[in-house]
Amino acid sequence: MMATPSAASAKPTLDTMFSPLLADPLEPRIAVMPWLDKDYLQLDIGSSADLYQNEEGNFAFGIDFATYSLLQRSSNFKFPVDTIDYLFGVNFSWQKELEQCQLPFDTLSARVRLSHISAHFEDGHYDEDAGAWIGADTHPLGIPFTYSREFLNMVVALSSDDLRAYLGYQFLWHTIPDNINRHSFQAGLEVNTPGNTYLAADFKLLPVWDVTKKETDTFRGTWNLQAGWKLDAIGVEHVRIACNHFTGMSRHGMYFFDDESYTTLGVIVDL
């Protein structure tokens, strides 16, 4: 699951030292994931790239760019964009081979990200006939409103060829709206299964923003469970067919206070 460069590289490479977290819905990636229970479509466009990997193969510096879109599925092959989130930032990766480890792992790795993310309603959330934003009178923050966050995210992982377990922590050093708890936590597990398939689970403990108090009231567990098939065996590298079940706080900034539950099935590309 880990990329191991053999020589120093000072040019951009998509073969990142720290492999993308398979089930984390906020990893930069290319993905087309229709909802199975509602007329929505998730469209993600993005990637991480290492700008530098050292000769020892244990340190890398890179960049992240991503958009996460929620589209409506309507007739005549139209997909109005309801909301979109933009992320960009830098990352630092490190890894170390473990010798004589008593656990079923042979590599210890870590990644630190410094990122900005913002979110916006788009044309699919606007009623042209009424000349107004949809739900503007009932939205707890009013529409439009500003959603912007700058944060530090750290993930530490233990991995082998067929298994990876990780823990993560995120700190918001600036956020609009404010009065939300600055801390969140993450854990996950990835297992390669027969036939080039895999199972993955990502869990986040996220602050819940109370719309009445306009501040964090408690924390909520958020799960993204994924089963997939990697197409490497048929010569299509970095592409997987995946089924997700998501339950918890919405990944989209315009709905950051909403509790959601849905299942998706589609294609993910990890460049």
Side-chain angles (χ1 to χ4, degrees), residues 20 24 29 32 40 45 107 151 192 207 215 243 262 265:
D24 187 343
R29 61 187 188 176
V32 181
Y40 285 110
I45 303 173
T107 304
F151 59 88
N192 286 336
E215 63 181 18
C243 181
Y262 55 84
L265 175 64

Side-chain angles (χ1 to χ4, degrees), residues 1-3 15-22 27 93 95 109 111 113 164 190:
M1 291 187 180
M2 303 301 299
D15 187 17
T16 56
M17 180 175 294
F18 191 97
S19 300
L21 303 177
L22 296 178
E27 282 282 335
S93 302
Q95 67 178 10
S109 61
R111 182 186 65 190
R113 281 178 164 165
R164 178 163 65 166
E190 302 168 359

Side-chain angles (χ1 to χ4, degrees), residues 112-115 150-154 169-173:
V112 176
R113 281 178 164 165
L114 301 174
S115 304
E150 286 75 44
F151 59 88
L152 180 148
N153 178 277
M154 180 177 70
Y169 166 74
Q170 182 165 293
F171 174 74
L172 299 174
W173 76 73

Side-chain angles (χ1 to χ4, degrees), residues 69-146:
S69 302
L70 181 64
L71 288 69
Q72 302 167 10
R73 288 186 289 167
S74 58
S75 58
N76 299 322
F77 208 69
K78 293 182 179 179
F79 300 93
V81 180
D82 183 81
T83 184
I84 185 169
D85 295 51
Y86 299 89
L87 178 144
F88 62 86
V90 298
N91 68 73
F92 304 86
S93 302
W94 170 87
Q95 67 178 10
K96 175 181 174 60
E97 292 188 7
L98 301 176
E99 298 179 0
Q100 299 179 346
C101 181
Q102 301 301 314
L103 299 173
F105 304 105
D106 55 28
T107 304
L108 172 66
S109 61
R111 182 186 65 190
V112 176
R113 281 178 164 165
L114 301 174
S115 304
H116 164 85
I117 191 168
S118 62
H120 311 270
F121 280 128
E122 300 295 334
D123 63 298
H125 205 84
Y126 189 80
D127 187 336
E128 293 185 358
D129 294 333
W133 292 100
I134 298 171
D137 296 335
T138 58
H139 195 284
L141 292 173
I143 301 178
F145 75 94
T146 300

Side-chain angles (χ1 to χ4, degrees), residues 206-219:
L206 300 176
V208 177
W209 198 81
D210 189 290
V211 296
T212 303
K213 299 178 181 178
K214 294 186 177 181
E215 63 181 18
T216 295
D217 185 46
T218 185
F219 281 81

